[in-house]
mmCIF file of all heavy atoms in Angstrom:
data_model
loop_
_atom_site.group_PDB
_atom_site.id
_atom_site.type_symbol
_atom_site.label_atom_id
_atom_site.label_comp_id
_atom_site.label_asym_id
_atom_site.label_seq_id
_atom_site.Cartn_x
_atom_site.Cartn_y
_atom_site.Cartn_z
ATOM 1 N N ALA A 36 22.101 22.880 -44.965
ATOM 2 C CA ALA A 36 20.847 22.914 -44.224
ATOM 3 C C ALA A 36 21.062 22.338 -42.851
ATOM 4 O O ALA A 36 21.936 21.523 -42.640
ATOM 5 C CB ALA A 36 19.783 22.112 -44.975
ATOM 6 N N VAL A 60 38.329 46.526 -27.177
ATOM 7 C CA VAL A 60 39.407 46.340 -26.220
ATOM 8 C C VAL A 60 39.427 47.461 -25.193
ATOM 9 O O VAL A 60 39.651 47.233 -24.017
ATOM 10 C CB VAL A 60 40.758 46.256 -26.955
ATOM 11 C CG1 VAL A 60 41.905 46.246 -25.960
ATOM 12 C CG2 VAL A 60 40.800 44.996 -27.811
ATOM 13 N N ASP A 85 20.037 38.580 -20.561
ATOM 14 C CA ASP A 85 19.738 37.204 -20.180
ATOM 15 C C ASP A 85 18.486 36.663 -20.871
ATOM 16 O O ASP A 85 18.353 35.450 -21.061
ATOM 17 C CB ASP A 85 19.564 37.096 -18.660
ATOM 18 C CG ASP A 85 20.873 37.307 -17.910
ATOM 19 O OD1 ASP A 85 21.941 37.260 -18.559
ATOM 20 O OD2 ASP A 85 20.827 37.504 -16.687
ATOM 21 N N PRO A 156 43.824 23.620 -27.605
ATOM 22 C CA PRO A 156 42.772 23.516 -26.594
ATOM 23 C C PRO A 156 43.292 23.312 -25.179
ATOM 24 O O PRO A 156 44.443 22.931 -24.966
ATOM 25 C CB PRO A 156 41.987 22.292 -27.059
ATOM 26 C CG PRO A 156 43.044 21.414 -27.682
ATOM 27 C CD PRO A 156 44.002 22.365 -28.360
ATOM 28 N N ASN A 301 28.771 33.796 -21.684
ATOM 29 C CA ASN A 301 27.497 33.137 -21.957
ATOM 30 C C ASN A 301 26.714 33.847 -23.060
ATOM 31 O O ASN A 301 25.563 33.504 -23.326
ATOM 32 C CB ASN A 301 26.646 33.065 -20.679
ATOM 33 C CG ASN A 301 27.166 32.021 -19.713
ATOM 34 O OD1 ASN A 301 28.268 31.504 -19.877
ATOM 35 N ND2 ASN A 301 26.383 31.696 -18.709
ATOM 36 N N TYR A 366 16.976 34.873 -28.589
ATOM 37 C CA TYR A 366 17.367 35.884 -29.581
ATOM 38 C C TYR A 366 16.916 35.474 -30.976
ATOM 39 O O TYR A 366 16.365 36.291 -31.733
ATOM 40 C CB TYR A 366 18.887 36.070 -29.539
ATOM 41 C CG TYR A 366 19.459 36.835 -30.709
ATOM 42 C CD1 TYR A 366 19.389 38.228 -30.766
ATOM 43 C CD2 TYR A 366 20.066 36.167 -31.774
ATOM 44 C CE1 TYR A 366 19.921 38.929 -31.839
ATOM 45 C CE2 TYR A 366 20.601 36.855 -32.853
ATOM 46 C CZ TYR A 366 20.515 38.233 -32.885
ATOM 47 O OH TYR A 366 21.034 38.917 -33.959
ATOM 48 N N ALA A 438 41.126 -2.040 -16.270
ATOM 49 C CA ALA A 438 40.129 -0.996 -16.048
ATOM 50 C C ALA A 438 40.785 0.365 -16.065
ATOM 51 O O ALA A 438 41.948 0.525 -15.694
ATOM 52 C CB ALA A 438 39.441 -1.220 -14.694
#
Side-chain angles (χ1 to χ4, degrees):
V60 173
D85 291 346
N301 286 12
Y366 167 79

